[in-house]
Amino acid sequence: MLKFFKKMERTRNFLLIFFAVILVGSLVVFYAPTEGVQENLSRNNETAAKVGSEKITIGDVVSMQERLREIQPQFPAMPSLLINQMIQGKLVRVEAARLGLTASDTEVAERIREIFKPEDGKPFDQQLYEQNAIRQSGSVAEFEERIRDEISQQKLVAFVTAGVSVSEEEVLNDYKRRNTKFSLTYVPVNTADLTESITPSAAELKDYFEKNKKSYYISSPQKKIRYLYLQTSKIGEKLTFTDEELKEAFDKLPADKKLAGVRIQEIVLRVNKPEEESQVLQKANEIVESLKKEGETVSETKFAETAKGQSEKPSTALDGGKVAGLVRENQNNPTDPYQRVLSMNDGEITEPLKFGSNFYILRRAESVPKPFEQGKKEIEVSRRNSKAYEANAILAGKAAEKLKSVKDVQKVAEEFASQANMSVSEMVRETGYVKPGDEIDNLGISQDFEQGIASLEKVNDVGDKIPIPGGFAIPLLVDKKAPRDAEFDEVRSQVVEAVKTKQAREQVEAIAKRISENAANAGGLSSAAQGAKLEAREAKDFILGSPLGEGPSASTSEALEDAIYGLKQGEVTKPIKVGDNWLIVGVNEREEANMDNYSKEREQLVRTKLDEKRGRIFSDYLSAARQRMESKGEIKIYKEAIAKLEEAIKQNQPQIPNLPPGLQLPQQPQPPPGN
């Protein structure tokens, strides 16, 4: 499969990679549906959008979403965004057809033969091709349609951008911009930071609320809930386990779960300069070849002798390449080369692995079993967590039935407190008046809780047990308010934030202008910033294209880069707006681009500049085509279908359970340093 992907990548040029995000809808289509609700949705043929005669169904959107989640599990549920991307893909197909650029059957067949061309010179394997096509797209027909779209897209890009060229002046100027270095002093005037320092008066808050009262209309019914809380960890505290029980559970673990870890040896070769990388790699390959002369496995002694003589990492070379500690599986750090040995047999060695500025050759040494005493605590924590959850679920079910009978949360808490190992005051909780999407004390924004109270319509209605962080809740409806105009006290916190943000946005530009006017040169920026109770910052060796700033507010823009590039040493920019914030920048030092390397890099610079211009032109072309079709009513988005899909996804969103209290991940050797 990896070879298949590599071949696929070889068929795409740099330009198509640039467009991959925009045109993902045309390149990634169907795949085998998942189970349950997602399976039903992926087979839904209701139309979500149309581009000319091309239709996008609900099933298409769900399949796209699941496909992306295979690549990125945390990919959010955003049907509206996906549909917009898929419209772009369909637009490419429509435009290619309009201009007679749709790939022919012959072109598709040739591309497939190129992708699946056997490396050993054997004939094309039709069965292997069909297996891969079905695995990738759900069917051979869908896979071939995807290939057709890809070729059509390439032809359309070539047609639209055929006349694009770049001048020597453009390339030269681009080189200078990318290679000029600056030492900067800059002052960020951030709206968010200024917001924190503002304290609106009561009169300002009231005035804003009255003028914007319609914005605070409460359109959904609000419910006040009193609920019984049963904490799983409290029940877990009462559970006890004998050594015999824990030993029995430990013995049943699969072999790989009873490993303390794997010992490894390493040979490290350093790449001191980028131009030396090929030489170092050649040396590493020669070492591997020498070690494997007598077979695929290498003895500890032979590897140790080579490590002492060849490894350039003194801390391990002196000990025969032995790495301190044990290697364990760590899914949170897949780039760690040490993880590679876990899939190997004892005595096997890796090929040279590039990590940071080094090449690593690793040998898997002996596996170290985990003794029962070491695994006992982990088993106990896991067993306590699972048993406590089961016991709490049963207890919550009983408490729910009791609450439905007596309609009194306090009384039920008193009856079940000892079994729950909690006090009555800990068990009884109450919300304010809440509606879907509101943040609730101790719960945050909880979809489970919202769904659990959705059916409660009359005072004293009781719901079933609801899984919430740390345990279960059993809700009782205390009161309900119909949609209405909000009262000031109900939305006071929202009004405070709105007024603070509004005042900050009104003040931030004036503050930035004042700092700029008070700074005669770059050296005067610091004192000008202090006068506004702000702090100037430094950025040394700054190059255009890098974000300026610290943390989430760090950013750049074409206007900012143009302003910096246009400054001479000692000069200061006028305030420049980047997003919601403003920047004033002064140049302390300016080091012009070294022109010695221009001739070496020119060819690559020309290609890069061409790709950038083609990308912009093609993007503008698609935007114009979309506007033309939208004006004629040839692009339609069915909002009701999308709304139903979003609701279905929301109701069936999988929940990620919390880690058991006290559960710690085992420590293991740190990844090799990058340099």
Side-chain angles (χ1 to χ4, degrees):
M1 181 58 68
L2 289 175
K3 289 180 180 178
F4 164 65
F5 277 122
K6 287 178 181 177
K7 287 182 179 180
M8 283 289 287
E9 288 168 358
R10 287 199 292 267
T11 67
R12 300 188 184 114
N13 58 28
F14 175 84
L15 187 56
L16 294 179
I17 295 173
F18 179 81
F19 296 138
V21 174
I22 299 175
L23 305 177
V24 66
S26 67
L27 299 179
V28 183
V29 193
F30 299 96
Y31 77 107
T34 56
E35 298 177 354
V37 175
Q38 288 299 105
E39 180 178 12
N40 293 333
L41 286 173
S42 67
R43 293 176 178 173
N44 190 322
N45 288 322
E46 184 176 358
T47 303
K50 287 181 72 175
V51 181
S53 60
E54 295 288 333
K55 185 168 73 169
I56 300 170
T57 68
I58 293 295
D60 296 344
V61 179
V62 173
S63 294
M64 162 82 80
Q65 182 187 68
E66 289 302 301
R67 184 64 173 260
L68 292 173
R69 278 183 171 164
E70 282 188 347
I71 303 168
Q72 172 52 263
Q74 300 303 319
F75 187 83
M78 297 185 294
S80 298
L81 175 60
L82 289 180
I83 287 171
N84 186 60
Q85 292 173 330
M86 294 173 81
I87 286 173
Q88 293 290 88
K90 296 292 186 184
L91 187 59
V92 170
R93 181 183 290 185
V94 169
E95 282 297 288
R98 184 177 70 85
L99 296 169
L101 299 173
T102 302
S104 67
D105 291 344
T106 301
E107 290 172 317
V108 172
E110 288 176 354
R111 177 62 58 84
I112 290 170
R113 280 194 290 270
E114 178 187 343
I115 293 169
F116 290 96
K117 181 180 180 181
E119 293 183 350
D120 53 11
K122 292 182 179 180
F124 179 82
D125 190 329
Q126 181 70 24
Q127 184 177 359
L128 176 62
Y129 156 64
E130 291 180 358
Q131 289 173 351
N132 279 319
I134 292 169
R135 187 179 297 119
Q136 289 300 303
S137 299
S139 72
V140 173
E142 293 296 347
F143 180 81
E144 292 180 354
E145 201 60 29
R146 195 178 99 188
I147 297 298
R148 190 184 306 278
D149 283 342
E150 185 175 319
I151 299 170
S152 301
Q153 175 187 314
Q154 291 175 333
K155 293 168 74 174
L156 182 61
V157 169
F159 175 81
V160 172
T161 64
V164 176
S165 62
V166 293
S167 66
E168 187 68 25
E169 183 182 1
E170 287 178 293
V171 177
L172 182 60
N173 187 52
D174 205 46
Y175 175 84
K176 290 179 178 179
R177 285 176 66 96
R178 291 170 189 249
N179 291 277
T180 300
K181 291 183 180 180
F182 301 87
S183 174
L184 306 176
T185 297
Y186 67 98
V187 182
V189 188
N190 295 336
T191 301
D193 293 342
L194 185 59
T195 298
E196 296 302 315
S197 66
I198 293 175
T199 305
S201 67
E204 288 173 323
L205 295 175
K206 284 279 190 180
D207 180 62
Y208 182 87
F209 174 71
E210 291 300 328
K211 290 178 178 177
N212 297 274
K213 207 166 188 177
K214 290 182 179 179
S215 302
Y216 296 98
Y217 179 79
I218 299 173
S219 58
S220 301
Q222 292 176 300
K223 296 177 180 179
K224 188 174 187 179
I225 304 294
R226 185 175 298 127
Y227 65 97
L228 199 66
Y229 173 56
L230 291 92
Q231 187 173 339
T232 299
S233 62
K234 290 286 187 180
I235 290 182
E237 291 171 4
K238 298 175 65 177
L239 300 178
T240 58
F241 304 97
T242 65
D243 279 359
E244 289 76 14
E245 287 179 279
L246 298 175
K247 182 66 166 62
E248 182 181 358
F250 179 78
D251 290 341
K252 290 180 180 178
L253 289 174
D256 63 321
K257 300 300 181 185
K258 290 193 283 189
L259 280 181
V262 176
R263 297 194 188 281
I264 64 170
Q265 292 170 274
E266 67 179 5
I267 295 171
V268 182
L269 302 180
R270 301 190 184 280
V271 180
N272 296 315
K273 299 178 181 178
E275 57 267 26
E276 296 176 357
E277 181 173 324
S278 60
Q279 298 173 4
V280 177
L281 176 58
Q282 182 179 352
K283 180 181 177 182
N285 283 323
E286 290 171 354
I287 291 173
V288 171
E289 186 177 349
S290 175
L291 287 169
K292 286 186 174 183
K293 273 185 179 179
E294 298 175 6
E296 289 298 314
T297 59
V298 179
S299 69
E300 178 181 338
T301 302
K302 184 176 182 180
F303 193 94
E305 290 172 354
T306 305
K308 288 177 181 178
Q310 301 282 359
S311 182
E312 297 173 0
K313 185 177 178 181
S315 60
T316 57
L318 294 173
D319 196 20
K322 290 181 180 178
V323 176
L326 301 175
V327 174
R328 305 178 185 87
E329 184 178 13
N330 183 2
Q331 295 180 350
N332 294 323
N333 193 6
T335 60
D336 173 9
Y338 289 168
Q339 294 288 300
R340 176 69 177 278
V341 302
L342 297 176
S343 61
M344 296 161 51
N345 297 319
D346 290 358
E348 290 183 341
I349 66 173
T350 66
E351 74 279 11
L353 305 174
K354 181 77 187 309
F355 186 79
S357 58
N358 301 326
F359 277 103
Y360 290 80
I361 303 167
L362 306 177
R363 175 185 178 272
R364 174 166 174 151
E366 72 273 15
S367 301
V368 180
K370 182 187 298 180
F372 168 66
E373 288 303 319
Q374 182 181 340
K376 176 180 174 181
K377 185 62 179 176
E378 297 171 19
I379 291 288
E380 183 177 348
V381 168
S382 175
R383 195 170 181 80
R384 185 181 303 280
N385 184 67
S386 61
K387 291 292 183 183
Y389 185 88
E390 292 172 8
N392 199 21
I394 293 171
L395 186 62
K398 293 178 180 178
E401 292 304 313
K402 187 68 176 180
L403 185 56
K404 289 175 182 177
S405 169
V406 302
K407 309 287 188 181
D408 189 322
V409 175
Q410 184 78 16
K411 283 186 178 180
V412 177
E414 291 170 357
E415 180 176 339
F416 285 85
S418 60
Q419 297 178 63
N421 196 29
M422 298 174 69
S423 67
V424 173
S425 61
E426 288 175 321
M427 294 179 70
V428 178
R429 292 181 175 181
E430 187 169 290
T431 72
Y433 287 93
V434 296
K435 63 183 185 303
D438 283 352
E439 188 167 338
I440 302 171
D441 289 344
N442 301 309
L443 297 180
I445 299 175
S446 171
Q447 291 185 357
D448 283 332
F449 193 80
E450 290 176 8
Q451 292 170 17
I453 68 174
S455 61
L456 309 184
E457 296 295 337
K458 298 178 182 178
V459 172
N460 284 333
D461 277 356
V462 176
D464 295 322
K465 66 185 180 190
I466 305 169
I468 60 173
F472 290 92
I474 301 122
L476 178 144
L477 180 62
V478 176
D479 194 18
K480 181 179 177 181
K481 290 184 178 180
R484 69 197 191 288
D485 287 327
E487 297 175 8
F488 174 74
D489 289 339
E490 291 181 287
V491 294
R492 188 180 190 282
S493 61
Q494 299 172 46
V495 174
V496 169
E497 288 305 311
V499 173
K500 288 169 67 173
T501 300
K502 178 176 178 291
Q503 292 183 356
R505 285 174 176 162
E506 291 170 349
Q507 296 177 29
V508 69
E509 183 178 3
I511 293 172
K513 286 181 177 178
R514 190 160 62 248
I515 293 171
S516 178
E517 291 167 356
N518 291 338
N521 50 46
L525 259 183
S526 292
S527 58
Q530 290 175 1
K533 298 182 179 180
L534 293 174
E535 183 181 349
R537 299 174 184 171
E538 302 290 327
K540 296 183 179 180
D541 293 328
F542 178 82
I543 57 173
L544 300 182
S546 306
L548 187 61
E550 299 175 2
S553 63
S555 58
T556 188
S557 70
E558 188 174 350
L560 176 65
E561 293 182 4
D562 287 345
I564 293 173
Y565 189 67
L567 291 181
K568 297 177 182 177
Q569 186 168 315
E571 293 182 338
V572 178
T573 67
K574 293 181 178 179
I576 301 165
K577 193 172 190 292
V578 182
D580 239 5
N581 307 316
W582 293 79
L583 285 163
I584 309 100
V585 184
V587 173
N588 301 314
E589 295 179 12
R590 176 178 176 134
E591 182 183 336
E592 299 296 341
N594 184 345
M595 300 305 296
D596 293 344
N597 292 325
Y598 175 67
S599 59
K600 298 178 184 178
E601 297 181 23
R602 183 186 173 283
E603 186 176 345
Q604 179 59 46
L605 288 168
V606 170
R607 286 198 298 267
T608 301
K609 196 66 180 175
L610 271 172
D611 286 338
E612 288 178 359
K613 290 185 75 173
R614 286 169 179 161
R616 286 196 299 269
I617 289 170
F618 190 67
S619 179
D620 291 343
Y621 172 83
L622 286 183
S623 296
R626 181 164 182 168
Q627 289 176 3
R628 183 184 72 246
M629 292 188 71
E630 284 176 339
S631 67
K632 295 179 179 179
E634 294 175 347
I635 294 180
K636 296 179 181 179
I637 299 175
Y638 297 88
K639 294 182 180 179
E640 290 184 5
I642 297 170
K644 285 192 289 185
L645 172 60
E646 290 176 337
E647 182 62 28
I649 291 173
K650 180 180 178 182
Q651 291 180 2
N652 294 281
Q653 190 74 21
Q655 298 297 311
I656 301 174
N658 294 326
L659 282 173
L663 182 61
Q664 299 292 326
L665 294 174
Q667 293 186 350
Q668 58 180 323
Q670 293 297 311
N675 46 51

